[in-house]
Amino acid sequence: MKSLSRILALLLFAQVILAQEVNDGNELLNRPAERTYDIILDSGYLKVGVYENFPPYSYEVDGEPMGIDIELGRRIAEEMGVEFKVHWIIPDENLGDDLRNNVWKGHYLAKQRLADVMLRVPYDKTYAYMQDSTGEYINEQVVLFGPYQQETWQIAYNPEKLDSVETVAVFQYNPIGVEIDTLPDFYLTSAFGGRMRDKVRHYHKVAEAFEALRKGEVSAVMAMRSEIDHELAKPENEGFKAASNGFPGIGKQVWDVGMAIKHTHRQLGYALEAIVDRLVKTGEMNELMAAQNLRYSVPGYYRAFLDEQAIARAEGGVEFGSSTTK
């Protein structure tokens, strides 16, 4: 039944997106167009793959694409001198499926649909070079590159319910909301021998968890920092605070977010990487985030070679071209 529901949803989605997105696939062979860098420039548009209904990264308001990844996609297209076209992505079972369906092969229900570049892809060398039992690279069809943001986990809490959140151990005794089937869900239900499990409340979206926070049904919400920032910026959530606790045993507490292209489109990758590199180093990426009321952290990739002043500049602490800290 779950598989049937997924197929029906994809069929419905495919009908909707055809009215929103350009269809440049090969109808005769039923396969996506081979859009190299030069072809993209000649066509006059760039198809940027972003996850649907995923605020604050990519979502719609009254039919208009919104979010930080939408703004980044628009900036990249502008730098290339082409028009921005959105390619909405329905998340599948895992990242590998998303890359196959939207970057290098196409979904079997919509084989002509491929993005030129996909955003919000974890930039992880271990994942990029993962091998199967025969030694073949699992992700050899794609290139992961161009980290543009570092993401982390965050808790927001109601100060009327909790004085502070110094440790997640307080949620052994206080209810906390999470989006179902996410890492915060798995973490809070299993950490410390499962002692927080009974206090975890599940919701379909982070926004629903914040609604429960406003109603007093939970004392806190755990999600990605940008998701928390997005909700805390809303007037109805102004009484809530961001915690400063760590997450022992969570595995990766911070990670880089970047882009993905088909492995045969390296020239496109070089052009996109140069644009994003400049946006990060000049602080323009920070400005894009700030305009969305989101905090920005430079990717760990850059921290390996940029000095402290350059990192401060990228995160908005120093004017570009200045040698003194604000």
Side-chain angles (χ1 to χ4, degrees):
M1 179 61 81
K2 183 178 179 181
S3 297
L4 178 59
S5 298
R6 181 179 293 276
I7 290 173
L8 291 174
L10 284 168
L11 283 170
L12 178 61
F13 180 71
Q15 294 174 357
V16 173
I17 57 90
L18 287 177
Q20 298 176 333
E21 302 177 8
V22 61
N23 181 14
D24 51 16
N26 188 315
E27 294 186 11
L28 179 62
L29 299 178
N30 191 26
R31 67 185 185 191
E34 186 66 22
R35 286 174 52 81
T36 62
Y37 177 67
D38 290 334
I39 290 174
I40 288 172
L41 294 181
D42 289 341
S43 72
Y45 62 87
L46 177 72
K47 295 189 296 181
V48 180
V50 293
Y51 286 105
E52 67 155 1
N53 194 24
F54 192 26
Y57 310 109
S58 45
Y59 57 104
E60 284 187 295
V61 176
D62 298 329
E64 180 69 19
M66 305 283 284
I68 184 58
D69 286 345
I70 296 295
E71 294 307 312
L72 176 59
R74 286 181 172 137
R75 179 64 67 87
I76 290 172
E78 180 184 350
E79 295 276 344
M80 291 179 64
V82 297
E83 183 182 355
F84 166 81
K85 297 283 188 181
V86 68
H87 171 104
W88 292 113
I89 296 173
I90 297 179
D92 211 311
E93 296 294 335
N94 54 56
L95 177 60
D97 292 340
D98 294 342
L99 292 169
R100 181 186 66 248
N101 295 339
N102 297 279
V103 176
W104 65 270
K105 185 177 182 181
H107 195 279
Y108 67 93
L109 293 175
K111 290 184 178 180
Q112 297 177 42
R113 285 190 74 240
L114 276 187
D116 297 323
V117 58
M118 177 176 168
L119 303 186
R120 195 59 42 187
V121 179
Y123 180 77
D124 186 286
K125 289 186 177 180
T126 301
Y127 179 80
Y129 295 106
M130 191 180 299
Q131 297 174 294
D132 61 20
S133 59
T134 66
E136 295 291 328
Y137 288 109
I138 295 174
N139 300 302
E140 64 179 357
Q141 298 291 338
V142 296
V143 177
L144 308 184
F145 70 106
Y148 56 86
Q149 178 200 351
Q150 186 178 81
E151 190 58 274
T152 185
W153 301 111
Q154 177 74 62
I155 285 176
Y157 68 97
N158 185 347
E160 294 183 0
K161 298 280 188 179
L162 298 169
D163 292 333
S164 64
V165 179
E166 303 298 330
T167 169
V168 291
V170 299
F171 300 112
Q172 297 177 80
Y173 318 104
N174 299 278
I176 182 170
V178 296
E179 183 176 339
I180 193 168
D181 290 337
T182 59
L183 193 145
D185 179 9
F186 302 138
Y187 173 68
L188 291 171
T189 55
S190 60
F192 304 144
R195 282 179 286 180
M196 297 181 287
R197 182 182 299 119
D198 293 340
K199 293 297 182 179
V200 178
R201 305 290 183 264
H202 298 94
Y203 303 92
H204 290 294
K205 294 292 181 182
V206 173
E208 294 178 15
F210 267 85
E211 182 179 354
L213 186 61
R214 291 192 296 273
K215 292 178 178 179
E217 296 173 2
V218 295
S219 60
V221 173
M222 179 178 173
M224 287 181 282
R225 186 176 72 178
S226 294
E227 293 177 306
I228 296 292
D229 287 351
H230 179 66
E231 290 296 328
L232 290 180
K234 297 179 179 179
E236 60 266 33
N237 295 327
E238 64 180 0
F240 306 141
K241 294 183 177 181
S244 57
N245 63 286
F247 301 92
I250 200 170
K252 276 200 170 183
Q253 187 156 321
V254 297
W255 64 96
D256 287 357
V257 176
M259 305 179 282
I261 56 167
K262 190 174 181 180
H263 76 107
T264 54
H265 297 169
R266 305 248 177 187
Q267 185 180 8
L268 171 63
Y270 298 145
L272 297 176
E273 190 169 42
I275 292 171
V276 168
D277 182 71
R278 187 188 66 78
L279 294 177
V280 170
K281 289 179 177 177
T282 61
E284 291 180 62
M285 190 66 220
N286 173 70
E287 292 174 2
L288 288 176
M289 295 281 289
Q292 303 277 325
N293 295 309
L294 307 176
R295 286 170 286 174
Y296 179 68
S297 292
V298 169
Y301 166 82
Y302 286 95
R303 295 178 186 275
F305 59 86
L306 290 184
D307 59 30
E308 292 184 5
Q309 186 177 14
I311 292 173
R313 180 183 301 116
E315 294 181 338
V318 177
E319 296 281 2
F320 185 69
S322 172
S323 59
T324 58
T325 305
K326 287 182 178 180

